Amino acid sequence: MFGLHWGSGESQAKPVEKKPVWTGWKNFKVLNRTKECEDVECFHLVPEDGAPLPDFKAGQSIGIRTDDYAPRAFTLCGTPADGCYRLVVKRFTGETGKLAQHLCQNVRVGDTLEVSEPVGAFTLVEGETPLVMIAEGIGITAIVSLLSEIATREPLRRVHVVYATKNGSNFPLRKELKRLMTELPNAGLAVFYSEPHHDERAGRDFDVHGKLDILLLRAVCLEHDADFYLCGSEKSMEEVRKALHALKNVPESRIHEQIYVAKR
């Protein structure tokens, strides 16, 4: 699984107000499970005892553990209005992401998992500043969660989303992302495919053929007072961070990041 690491920029976010319902670990049942895209599964979890879910903010994460695997953090994809915890989990192979492998290969509807309270500061900064969200791969899950909250609370806020993935078969939450963009009249989306399928066309299925192009970030750096949200691998997001400093000298207080670190 990928562990989550929150960067220094998030320390500037306003503390999250929570309504605690439990501490430590609590049993949740798998209410539903669906295939999201290639190598990605979606799980809906509800408390085994039927108790209400605690309040949480978009972008936060929960811990999952089982008897055989060490706890790992998974981003909540959705909002409290969903009435459940929705997790979008990438399947790994080999020695990386053992818990994620177990979830995708073995966990079925009706099974029980131990879950921790939502935590994390990768949440929206309140205000009217423009938002620039840059993600790669499975990192889009946290961005979709943030966009869901924006669509509900601040639909007129200016938002730029830049997303990089391999191709349409490796694009989790694609339909949901496209729907959210239609609900945000002041939002724009740019999608990069590094290895598009032969029948996928730039300008129709995606915007740019290639990996995330740092130079193209100039277009979204024109927002002089924007807050930047980065979500992806440590290497890629470090390149983005350096580009932001080089292109615009963005202060650390306006860079919020959630880094996925490969773990066994």
Side-chain angles (χ1 to χ4, degrees):
M1 156 64 193
F2 277 100
L4 299 182
H5 164 75
W6 293 278
S8 59
E10 283 127 23
S11 63
Q12 306 296 322
K14 187 176 180 180
V16 177
E17 297 178 1
K18 301 190 292 184
K19 181 173 61 179
V21 175
W22 83 88
T23 57
W25 297 88
K26 182 181 178 72
N27 286 340
F28 273 62
K29 279 195 173 295
V30 179
L31 179 67
N32 192 25
R33 169 185 169 151
T34 57
K35 185 176 181 61
E36 182 59 40
C37 68
E38 185 174 322
D39 295 329
V40 177
E41 302 287 333
C42 180
F43 298 86
H44 294 76
L45 310 179
V46 294
E48 188 175 51
D49 61 5
L53 293 173
D55 291 338
F56 68 91
K57 284 199 170 186
Q60 290 191 300
S61 303
I62 58 173
I64 299 288
R65 74 176 182 182
T66 69
D67 291 339
D68 299 321
Y69 298 94
R72 292 289 183 261
F74 292 84
T75 301
L76 289 169
C77 189
T79 68
D82 295 337
C84 65
Y85 287 161
R86 182 162 62 113
L87 308 179
V88 178
V89 181
K90 181 176 176 59
R91 182 197 303 263
F92 294 94
T93 59
E95 296 302 314
T96 300
K98 289 291 190 179
L99 178 55
Q101 289 184 44
H102 169 69
L103 294 176
C104 293
Q105 293 173 4
N106 303 314
V107 173
R108 299 290 180 262
V109 172
D111 287 350
T112 300
L113 298 170
E114 288 188 90
V115 175
S116 70
E117 270 192 286
V119 295
F122 190 69
T123 55
L124 289 173
V125 174
E126 295 183 3
E128 299 180 354
T129 58
L131 302 173
V132 178
M133 300 181 174
I134 304 170
E136 65 159 357
I138 198 66
I140 194 62
T141 57
I143 300 304
V144 166
S145 182
L146 295 175
L147 290 172
S148 297
E149 186 169 308
I150 295 170
T152 300
R153 296 176 51 194
E154 305 171 292
L156 298 182
R157 198 165 183 177
R158 298 199 306 280
V159 183
H160 304 274
V161 180
V162 180
Y163 177 56
T165 189
K166 188 175 180 181
N167 49 50
S169 297
N170 294 268
F171 194 154
L173 305 175
R174 175 170 52 179
K175 290 183 180 180
E176 188 168 348
L177 176 61
K178 296 294 181 66
R179 175 184 58 78
L180 286 167
M181 298 307 291
T182 65
E183 297 175 6
L184 299 168
N186 296 319
L189 171 65
V191 175
F192 291 70
Y193 279 3
S194 60
E195 299 178 27
H197 294 303
H198 71 277
D199 58 345
E200 292 178 324
R201 298 287 181 267
R204 184 191 68 188
D205 305 298
F206 60 99
D207 298 292
V208 181
H209 181 187
K211 296 183 178 181
L212 185 62
D213 189 339
I214 301 302
L215 293 179
L216 292 180
L217 292 179
R218 292 179 184 275
V220 295
C221 288
L222 295 178
E223 298 280 12
H224 70 281
D225 58 347
D227 277 279
F228 291 80
Y229 286 79
L230 316 181
C231 194
S233 70
E234 187 172 16
K235 179 180 178 181
S236 294
M237 294 303 104
E238 178 60 25
E239 291 177 356
V240 171
R241 174 184 282 275
K242 289 180 179 178
L244 292 178
H245 288 309
L247 295 173
K248 191 180 176 240
N249 194 26
V250 178
E252 285 294 317
S253 62
R254 290 196 176 274
I255 299 178
H256 317 270
E257 62 181 5
Q258 184 162 277
I259 302 302
Y260 290 81
V261 182
K263 293 184 177 181
R264 294 185 64 178

